[in-house]
Every structure is written in structure tokens, then in C-alpha cells.
Amino acid sequence: MGAQAANALIYLINTLFNLYMGAVLLRIVLQWVRADFYNPISQLVWKITQPVLRPFASLLPRWRKLDIGASLLLLILAIIYVQIIASLWSLHIGLLATLWYSVLKIVSLGISIFTASIIIYAILSWFGPGLSNPSANILYSINEPLLRPIRKIVPPLSGLDLSPLVAILLLQVAGMLLPLPGYFGLG
């Protein structure tokens, strides 16, 4: 396989795994923050992840607000992803390293999802605070637990809420501190 074909394959695998792992992670987060289940975005995430999660849900019960089945599926997907990418790069990594990189990949993906959701949430707030649409409601549910503590430390200045900017800055610094090798991709 040529270098261009290998790069295209790695890009395709990276994109597909990131999208599906992102959907599973989003499902976990939406359940954790108790977002509106009947929201169209919640329904989309549910329908995308439900076929694969059905066997996990019947075997593993939820614990408080945590969907253990979805969490296990996310870890399994991350392990498969790390192994596929490692084999494409001709890397030989052990089980503990695979688990470590898988957890780091999930954290990196979570940082990317939260960063993107905060950016979209902030942009939507410019066009109409309290905007009543499905995406604004879901973004509020996802981001408020992260932004609320920051607002206690950084109050609004002249009516301008700087907590999204601070949160994005902190998330990006945390992402830079992750010891995830570049070939496993960020977020």
C-alpha cells in the first residue's frame, strides 16, 4: 500500500471512530446531565448508539447517573481504535499501553467535544440569549455544569460572560498536557 493510500485509510478510520466514539460519549454526557430525552438531538444520539448498545444495556445496569454499558462500549471502541492505528503505523504496544492510550483518547475526545459545544453555545448566545431551539437547550444542559463554577470565579464584566472563554482556555491547556502520541490523533 502506498503512502497516500495509507494516509487516506488512517484518516478514514480516525474520522469514523472519532464520530462514533463521540456519539457514545455524548450519550454518556447527556444521560449524566439529565438532558431532555425527547429533544431531537438527544433522540439522534440515542438512535445512532442504541443498536450497538442494546446488548450492553441488558447485561450492565446503570449506576446512578452513569451508563456503565455505554462507558464499557466507549472503552472497547477506543481499544480497537488504538490497536488498528498502532498496526497501521507498525507499532507494537502492550495491553497496559493500549489501555492507557485508550483512556487518553477518550479524554482527548471529551475535551474536543466540550470545546466545540462551548464555542457553538457562545455563538448561539450572541444571536439571542435564551434562544429556544433544540440545540441551544442541549448545549445549555451539557455546558452549564462546566461553566457554572467558572462564573463563580470570573464574574461577568460589563454584562459580558467570559466563562466560555476561560473554559475553552482551560480545556485546551488540559488537552496539550495529555501525553497522547500524535499518531492516535487528537479529539
Side-chain angles (χ1 to χ4, degrees):
M1 181 182 326
Q4 287 180 326
N7 286 340
L9 181 62
I10 290 170
Y11 173 78
L12 182 64
I13 290 170
N14 192 27
T15 301
L16 293 175
F17 268 90
N18 278 338
L19 286 173
Y20 200 75
M21 287 190 305
V24 174
L25 184 57
L26 198 52
R27 177 178 170 146
I28 294 167
V29 170
L30 289 173
Q31 288 177 349
W32 185 265
V33 299
R34 297 182 191 263
D36 179 17
F37 177 76
Y38 296 103
N39 184 295
I41 295 172
S42 294
Q43 285 293 305
L44 173 69
V45 169
W46 180 266
K47 287 180 181 174
I48 290 172
T49 57
Q50 186 59 20
V52 178
L53 270 170
R54 188 173 289 121
F56 288 93
S58 62
L59 295 174
L60 299 167
R62 290 178 60 174
W63 180 71
R64 297 187 183 181
K65 295 190 291 185
L66 180 63
D67 187 346
I68 297 173
S71 302
L72 181 62
L73 173 64
L74 183 59
L75 182 60
I76 290 169
L77 287 171
I79 289 169
I80 293 169
Y81 168 80
V82 166
Q83 283 299 311
I84 290 172
I85 296 299
S87 68
L88 289 173
W89 283 100
S90 301
L91 301 171
H92 301 287
I93 56 176
L95 179 63
L96 287 177
T98 299
L99 286 172
W100 175 244
Y101 291 142
S102 299
V103 169
L104 290 177
K105 178 64 181 175
I106 292 168
V107 171
S108 174
L109 188 60
I111 288 171
S112 296
I113 287 173
F114 273 107
T115 301
S117 70
I118 291 171
I119 290 170
I120 295 167
Y121 180 66
I123 291 171
L124 279 177
S125 73
W126 298 342
F127 294 108
L131 195 63
S132 181
N133 70 41
S135 59
N137 294 335
I138 286 295
L139 291 171
Y140 177 83
S141 297
I142 292 172
N143 294 321
E144 259 322 287
L146 186 63
L147 296 176
R148 192 176 306 119
I150 295 173
R151 283 192 192 109
K152 291 179 182 176
I153 298 169
V154 181
L157 296 172
S158 301
L160 185 63
D161 183 13
L162 298 177
S163 61
L165 181 65
V166 173
I168 291 169
L169 180 68
L170 292 173
L171 286 168
Q172 292 303 299
V173 168
M176 289 176 188
L177 294 175
L178 285 179
L180 184 65
Y183 37 77
F184 293 125
L186 299 174

